[in-house]
Amino acid sequence: MLPSLTAAEERLLLRFADPEAAAGGEDLSAKTLTALLDNAEFHGVLPIMLRKLSGQLPADADLHGKLENLRQKATIATGQSMLLKYHGDRIMKGLAADNIPARIVKGPVFARKLYRNVADRPFTDIDILVEPANLARANQVIAACGFELGSNEAESYELQEFKWLEKENSSLLVELHGDLVHDTGMRRRLSLGFPELRTIDGEAADTPAALLTIAIVHAAGGHKFHRLQLCVDVLQGVRALQSPEAEARLFDAARMTGIELELAVVLDVTGQLFEESRALELAGRIKPDLSIRLARRLITTNTLLGVNSRDRLGSRLRRDAFRWIQRLAKARPQVA
């Protein structure tokens, strides 16, 4: 369980987690900084906090030892990300050679496209998306690149997600997807695969609308708001959406993929967490139905900040209830 934070300390954590927010100038105690560092590490935003920590820190040997240890771990994580990128590029070349359309999504693309400081967004795997009909051929390419399947094959086809581990270094994980929505109960309503992303992007690649759509599905469709990093990706995606045309493309994408519920909920909680008025304004453009109204009561700032706190059971129950709303929600009617 994470160290408890006061309301004021939670606001500090969120400011440290926001890549664009100024670092706090408060005179923080060693105990408070240690608690903030533990929370930042759990929530995947530690690199941002470490970048912002400067100036006069408390003369506390334990704190400075912890900072040194965390900075060493961050350096190792950066090296891991570089190794993953190398193997991802190798696999993509192999897929291209076999005429298998594919794209890398999430981690390294978010880091490059959404963050001014690439190191602010570490990643622990490479996600590759192909059309479902090409999964078998793509699996053969990945195997030929020195990886072995680490997930059950039949179950992987059902989930449209294959987990591959590098034979010489099992910490290197590559995930192959036929759809970024793996929950079969949810997939009857929403889907985000290679064809949908190609439609969203049009003639371009990795457009702001596509990146934000992926971030929304990653936060609410793949995971269940289990750490702040998911909402930081969404926050940065909102900031990258810089034109009315991009906004219109986002809402078209939401209708096409069926993620209007997820879009409304994730934008709303992200806007509340980081006091981002534009996220709240975009969320407000989606007319709330019963599913959205119920989901907003469940997915709150306290739900996210309480994932591994004393309220972790309550947070888990609220997030599980949200998943059932996603599974039971009806597809919204398409407007001609």
Side-chain angles (χ1 to χ4, degrees), residues 249-264:
R249 184 174 287 191
L250 171 69
F251 288 111
D252 287 344
R255 285 187 288 272
M256 176 183 67
T257 58
I259 65 162
E260 288 172 296
L261 163 62
E262 288 70 22
L263 183 65

Side-chain angles (χ1 to χ4, degrees), residues 81-97 102-104 108-109 112 123 126-128 141 145 147 174:
S81 295
M82 293 173 66
L83 263 177
L84 283 165
K85 185 178 181 303
Y86 164 76
H87 286 290
D89 290 344
R90 284 179 57 234
I91 293 169
M92 290 297 288
K93 288 178 182 177
L95 293 169
R103 63 191 290 168
I104 292 177
V109 183
R112 188 178 74 252
F123 47 93
I126 292 290
D127 295 276
I128 298 175
V141 170
C145 288
F147 285 72
V174 171

